[in-house]
Amino acid sequence: MSEHGHTHGQQDFGSAFAIGVSLNLVYVVVEAAYGLHAHSLALVADAGHNMGDVLGLALAWAAVTLARRRPTRRYTYGLRSTSILAALINALVLLLMTGGIAWEAVRRLSAPEPAGGLTIIVVAAIGVLVNALTALLFASGRKGDLNIRAAFVHMASDAVIALGVVIAGALMLWKGWAWLDPVVSLAISLAIVLGTWGLLRDSVNLALAAVPEGIDGAEVEAFLAGLAGVEAVHDLHILGMSTTEAALTAHLVCPMPTEGDRLVTQASLELHERFGIEHITIQVETGAKPCKQASAEVV
């Protein structure tokens, strides 16, 4: 027996993603070009960071889009798990890019190169506006969707980082501190690594079918075992179908088979409401002769 749940009536953020990706992609090109022209590693580092924003927004957009694709005979769960692969690739690319920027920053610390402070200030100030505007596009949905909230928080924090680059540019223009450019680059690189490490860890865990963050497997098992009429729980599996959806399969031992339909309905509703698990497959057994056959989700 199985129960299949979906979240309906979510706001469509397709336009917000399109605008956000376009704005940030144009800004990445402009920032990188002016960073090279002004010999500012801080701007180049922030351009790499903003490229991560573009990849992150594209990932979130793809996850929202693919979640609406209907399953096929070959891909019976649809293409939701592609968002996990995209997150893993995103994290690895960002870490490689950051490593190259940090290496160059360390080299420049021993031989600082003059950077155009005014150019840094103007370009980074544009970045503050671009990131803040993009964050506002997702502000209305940040409380109801984890994917949208991640996009909002990421862009809002990037506006603060860009503001830091503006301040660094002003200090270089005022004091002539050429060493501040590579120092700011290292600080940005550290911020990228700290932010990306969690993405890498979570995407690897999801790729290995670990229980998604925010779901306590022991609590789920205790809930199922505590349902009226359930004698035992076994073959319990909880995994992420995508970066935003979780699935559960379980066998419930119930001495009274007539209770099966009620148990499935009650468990499915409460698992969705209490733990946010969308795709639920429950097999009810009488306990006398447990079934060893795998159950299939009805889509």
Side-chain angles (χ1 to χ4, degrees):
M1 298 181 187
S2 66
E3 195 73 25
H4 189 93
H6 288 287
T7 301
H8 299 278
Q10 292 184 339
Q11 186 176 351
D12 185 0
F13 283 88
S15 297
F17 279 118
I19 295 171
V21 169
S22 300
L23 275 176
N24 282 272
L25 190 56
V26 170
Y27 178 65
V28 164
V29 174
V30 171
E31 186 175 32
Y34 275 97
L36 293 173
H37 176 72
H39 303 289
S40 171
L41 192 59
L43 281 181
V44 174
D46 195 48
H49 187 200
N50 281 294
M51 188 62 204
D53 296 342
V54 174
L55 292 174
L57 287 174
L59 167 67
W61 191 4
V64 169
T65 302
L66 291 175
R68 296 174 182 152
R69 294 285 184 89
R70 294 185 62 82
T72 66
R73 290 185 181 276
R74 183 172 179 81
Y75 299 101
T76 56
Y77 278 116
L79 298 176
R80 296 175 179 87
S81 60
T82 54
S83 62
I84 298 174
L85 296 177
L88 184 56
I89 294 171
N90 185 3
L92 292 174
V93 169
L94 276 175
L95 288 175
L96 287 173
M97 288 174 55
T98 303
I101 292 169
W103 179 270
E104 177 64 14
V106 171
R107 188 192 68 79
R108 287 199 183 189
L109 276 174
S110 59
E113 299 179 11
L118 183 59
T119 300
I120 294 173
I121 293 171
V122 173
V123 175
I126 295 173
V128 174
L129 294 176
V130 169
N131 288 314
L133 177 59
T134 306
L136 287 174
L137 292 173
F138 301 102
S140 64
R142 69 186 187 277
K143 294 182 180 179
D145 188 318
L146 183 62
N147 216 19
I148 302 301
R149 189 175 76 189
F152 171 80
V153 172
H154 195 172
M155 300 311 302
S157 62
D158 287 345
V160 176
I161 291 175
L163 182 60
V165 176
V166 171
I167 295 172
L171 288 173
M172 282 187 284
L173 190 63
W174 179 34
K175 295 289 188 178
W177 292 341
W179 55 266
L180 192 59
D181 182 69
V183 168
V184 171
S185 301
L186 284 174
I188 293 174
S189 297
L190 179 60
I192 296 172
V193 170
L194 291 176
T196 305
W197 188 254
L199 174 63
L200 178 64
R201 180 198 62 223
D202 292 344
S203 58
V204 168
N205 285 337
L206 286 174
L208 295 175
V211 177
E213 288 290 324
I215 298 178
D216 187 329
E219 188 177 347
V220 172
E221 183 173 8
F223 160 72
L224 291 172
L227 291 172
V230 174
E231 187 176 87
V233 179
H234 64 94
D235 290 312
L236 172 62
H237 302 283
I238 307 170
L239 67 154
M241 294 182 63
S242 70
T243 53
T244 58
E245 294 177 277
L248 174 148
T249 62
H251 289 203
L252 304 183
V253 179
C254 177
M256 298 182 63
T258 55
E259 290 289 297
D261 289 340
R262 180 192 64 79
L263 277 174
V264 169
T265 300
Q266 179 186 354
S268 298
L269 287 174
E270 293 198 42
L271 284 169
H272 180 266
E273 291 176 0
R274 293 176 56 177
F275 302 100
I277 300 174
E278 296 283 344
H279 302 265
I280 301 159
T281 303
I282 294 175
Q283 182 169 307
V284 178
E285 302 170 359
T286 62
K289 187 179 179 181
C291 175
K292 295 301 181 182
Q293 295 181 345
S295 59
E297 182 180 15
V298 177
V299 180

